[in-house]
């Protein structure tokens, strides 16, 4: 007997109400059982797995479930905001079995060649460049001016392009997210040109970079396959990493358990990142699958070829995931923020490394940074897939460049207490008081 009958009301996972309180949406879905009906765009309804155990079972069962979106892609309108994240292409995201293993090995082998210290230094360097742009102003939107730009600048370098191409990549992807059709099309054209230049440059002369390793891998990718792996790596790596940076900053600036941080050595950045991955997953709902044949999954009848989505955010906070009563789970790695099973994110370690370095650099230079608004005033984009802040306004004591205009900066003579609301915590002073350990 189906727990989720065809007459069940689909819970909307987009719009301002969901963005303001996604946990309310997940609670409504849980009333339908481990698998509920969710509307992810106008009249676009999918089955959504909200139970932790059910999510793990689905993500590990490649015999029953396929990642190929083509059986149901026609249901998604061409102009739907969901279309770009489900549009089939020859990449590991949408591949099954041997094809998936063939493509995934190129990614994992290439990532394994990256030196973590090199990635960390690269992240510091680009963080410094972004910090220089606003350090003397005393205010910043940590989303648009920092978190959304930094991962792309790092990935641009990891793929082997010069720093001068970083802003081009940032601008292209930003335009592709625009609602204006002309700007969106221009962004897509610019991104295509970027990819063409990248591949041609590395095909002509290899370097110590991901693109060169993709091209030279023994699995022998075609040009189309190599470019599609680059696209997927950028797409799957950029926004989640940007969201992780921003969502972690929110916790550090508003949660009294993260006081002192780097300045006093209390709870480290990694602690805050783990906590954000549990309770503010940068990718809230994804892992589109469809059953290869009609299936009854945890009491819900799902026809073959029907789209099924996994809610990492709901699974992480479901009553059966083992979350402690006090809601504190930092340091535990069993969250589903990076999915699980054969299709788990291969860039998990890289994303955490970049996010950690980004936040360390920010806190190191701006230790008194604080929220410029109350946490309750922060808003999120209303899409169903990502947990993305619209902005993260912050303020700090302005810094002035040294004589050569190169980091590190010297402290400004401006009074550090000027125009600061003492009721708002900062990275240096947040929550002085009790600290809970994991």
């Amino acid at each position: 007997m189906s727990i989720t009958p065809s007459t069940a009301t689909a819970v909307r996972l987009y719009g301002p109400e969901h963005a303001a309180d996604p946990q309310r949406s997940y609670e409504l879905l849980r009333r339908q059982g481990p698998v509920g009906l969710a509307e992810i765009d106008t009249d676009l309804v999918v089955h959504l797995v909200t139970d932790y155990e059910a999510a793990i079972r689905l993500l590990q069962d490649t015999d029953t479930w396929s990642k190929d979106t083509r059986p149901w892609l026609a249901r998604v309108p061409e102009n739907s905001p969901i279309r770009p994240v489900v549009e089939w292409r020859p990449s590991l995201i949408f591949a099954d079995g041997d094809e998936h293993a063939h493509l995934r090995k190129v990614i994992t082998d290439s990532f394994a060649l990256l030196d973590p210290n090199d990635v960390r230094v690269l992240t510091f360097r680009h963080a410094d460049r972004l910090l220089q742009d606003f350090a003397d102003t005393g205010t910043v939107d940590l989303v648009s001016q920092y978190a959304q730009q930094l991962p792309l600048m790092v990935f641009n370098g990891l793929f082997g392009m010069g720093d001068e191409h970083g802003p081009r990549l940032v601008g292209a992807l930003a335009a592709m997210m625009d609602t204006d059709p002309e700007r969106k099309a221009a962004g897509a054209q610019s991104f295509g040109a970027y990819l063409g230049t990248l591949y041609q440059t590395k095909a002509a002369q290899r370097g110590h970079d991901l693109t060169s390793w993709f091209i030279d891998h023994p699995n022998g990718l075609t040009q189309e396959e190599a470019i599609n792996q680059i696209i997927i790596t950028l797409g799957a790596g950029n926004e989640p990493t940007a969201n992780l940076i921003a969502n972690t900053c929110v916790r550090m600036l508003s949660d009294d358990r993260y006081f002192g941080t780097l300045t006093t050595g209390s709870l480290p950045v990694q602690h805050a990142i783990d906590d954000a991955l549990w309770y503010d997953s940068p990718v809230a709902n994804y892992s589109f699958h469809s059953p290869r044949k009609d299936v009854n999954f945890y009491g819900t009848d799902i026809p073959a070829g029907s789209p099924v989505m996994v809610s990492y955010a709901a699974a992480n906070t479901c009553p059966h995931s083992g979350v402690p009563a006090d809601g504190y789970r930092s340091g535990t790695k069993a969250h589903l923020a990076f999915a699980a099973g054969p299709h788990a994110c291969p860039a998990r370690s890289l994303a955490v490394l970049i996010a950690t370095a980004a936040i360390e650099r920010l806190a190191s230079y701006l230790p008194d940074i604080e929220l410029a608004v109350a946490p309750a005033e922060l808003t999120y984009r209303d899409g169903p897939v990502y947990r993305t802040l619209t902005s993260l306004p912050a303020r700090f004591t302005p810094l002035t460049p040294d004589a050569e205009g190169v980091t590190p900066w010297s402290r400004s003579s401006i009074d550090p207490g000027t125009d600061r609301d003492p009721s708002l915590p900062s990275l240096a002073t947040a929550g002085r008081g009790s600290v809970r350990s994991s």
Side-chain angles (χ1 to χ4, degrees):
M1 181 177 179
S2 174
I3 292 178
T4 309
S6 59
T7 56
T9 301
V11 177
R12 182 175 291 184
L13 293 188
Y14 63 97
E17 186 175 348
H18 171 73
D21 188 8
Q23 285 302 324
R24 177 183 178 276
S25 302
Y26 304 140
E27 285 300 323
L28 291 173
L29 280 157
R30 290 189 186 107
R31 294 176 189 176
Q32 299 181 19
V35 183
L37 290 179
E39 185 180 49
I40 59 175
D41 194 16
T42 305
D43 298 326
L44 181 56
V45 175
V46 303
H47 285 93
L48 187 78
V49 179
T50 58
D51 179 79
Y52 185 91
E53 179 186 287
I56 291 290
R57 184 166 296 183
L58 183 149
L59 293 169
Q60 294 178 340
D61 183 2
T62 57
D63 292 332
T64 302
W65 304 95
S66 169
K67 290 281 287 180
D68 192 335
T69 59
R70 286 174 292 185
W72 54 271
L73 189 58
R75 303 185 192 181
V76 186
E78 291 285 347
N79 62 350
S80 170
I82 293 298
R83 186 83 186 200
V85 299
V86 299
E87 188 80 65
W88 185 90
R89 61 176 66 249
S91 75
L92 78 165
I93 292 287
F94 305 109
D96 296 314
D98 291 342
E99 181 185 5
H100 171 256
H102 170 81
L103 296 173
R104 185 179 176 90
K105 185 167 176 55
V106 176
I107 300 288
T108 55
D109 287 353
S110 298
F111 283 175
L113 295 175
L114 293 172
D115 185 324
N117 187 62
D118 289 345
V119 175
R120 186 176 174 84
V121 170
L122 182 65
T123 304
F124 283 163
R125 180 159 62 83
H126 287 298
D128 286 348
R129 292 189 176 188
L130 291 174
L131 284 161
Q132 280 183 317
D133 289 339
F134 60 78
D136 62 346
T137 68
T139 63
V140 62
D141 174 5
L142 287 173
V143 171
S144 64
Q145 293 179 261
Y146 195 69
Q148 286 184 344
Q149 295 191 47
L150 183 53
L152 281 178
M153 295 171 73
V154 174
F155 279 117
N156 176 72
L158 294 178
F159 278 108
M161 292 289 266
D163 289 353
E164 68 276 11
H165 294 279
R168 175 184 172 192
L169 178 59
V170 171
L173 292 188
M176 289 173 66
M177 298 297 291
D178 201 281
T179 55
D180 178 63
E182 291 187 8
R183 179 166 158 73
K184 192 181 187 77
Q189 184 176 11
S190 179
F191 183 49
Y194 171 89
L195 292 170
T197 300
L198 171 59
Y199 186 87
Q200 292 164 14
T201 300
K202 293 303 162 182
Q205 183 174 0
R206 306 291 197 274
H208 190 76
D209 54 69
L210 290 172
T211 308
S212 298
W213 299 332
F214 284 8
I215 294 173
D216 287 339
H217 194 277
N219 280 9
L221 297 187
T222 65
Q223 178 176 339
E224 181 187 21
E225 288 175 331
I227 290 177
N228 274 294
Q229 305 327 298
I230 295 170
I231 292 173
I232 287 299
T233 304
L234 283 172
N238 170 53
E239 184 144 6
T241 306
N243 292 348
L244 179 57
I245 293 170
N247 294 350
T248 301
C249 284
V250 171
R251 302 194 81 83
M252 293 178 67
L253 293 171
S254 61
D255 190 324
D256 64 5
R257 291 171 296 196
Y258 299 106
F259 77 97
T261 312
L262 300 179
T263 55
T264 66
S266 49
L267 295 186
V269 170
Q270 185 62 56
H271 218 99
I273 286 177
D274 287 337
D275 208 12
L277 288 168
W278 266 107
Y279 300 106
D280 222 2
S281 181
V283 182
N285 310 287
Y286 196 55
S287 285
F288 284 96
H289 288 73
S290 60
R292 302 177 190 276
K293 59 183 180 180
D294 293 352
V295 64
N296 183 281
F297 187 66
Y298 279 76
T300 297
D301 294 323
I302 304 175
S306 298
V308 179
M309 202 175 183
V310 174
S311 177
Y312 311 142
N316 282 350
T317 56
C318 89
H320 309 296
S321 68
V323 175
D326 65 359
Y328 192 49
R329 195 63 171 282
S330 285
T332 307
K333 308 299 184 183
H335 57 73
L336 295 183
F338 295 106
H343 283 273
C345 177
R348 171 179 183 153
S349 297
L350 181 62
V352 171
L353 176 59
I354 293 171
T356 303
I359 296 170
E360 286 180 350
R361 204 59 159 186
L362 179 71
S364 177
Y365 281 113
L366 308 176
D368 65 345
I369 192 169
E370 65 182 12
L371 290 179
V373 299
E377 295 180 37
L378 297 174
T379 59
Y380 292 80
R381 285 205 329 233
D382 64 10
V385 175
Y386 298 109
R387 181 65 170 163
T388 305
L389 281 157
T390 56
S391 66
L392 183 55
R395 56 194 174 195
F396 51 87
T397 302
L399 303 179
T400 54
D402 61 17
E404 286 78 31
V406 179
T407 56
W409 302 277
S410 60
R411 280 287 176 190
S412 167
S413 59
I414 296 177
D415 180 0
T418 302
D419 295 327
R420 178 160 295 113
D421 182 348
S423 68
L424 294 175
S426 69
L427 288 181
T429 62
R432 286 180 177 165
S434 62
V435 178
R436 307 179 195 178
S437 60
S438 60

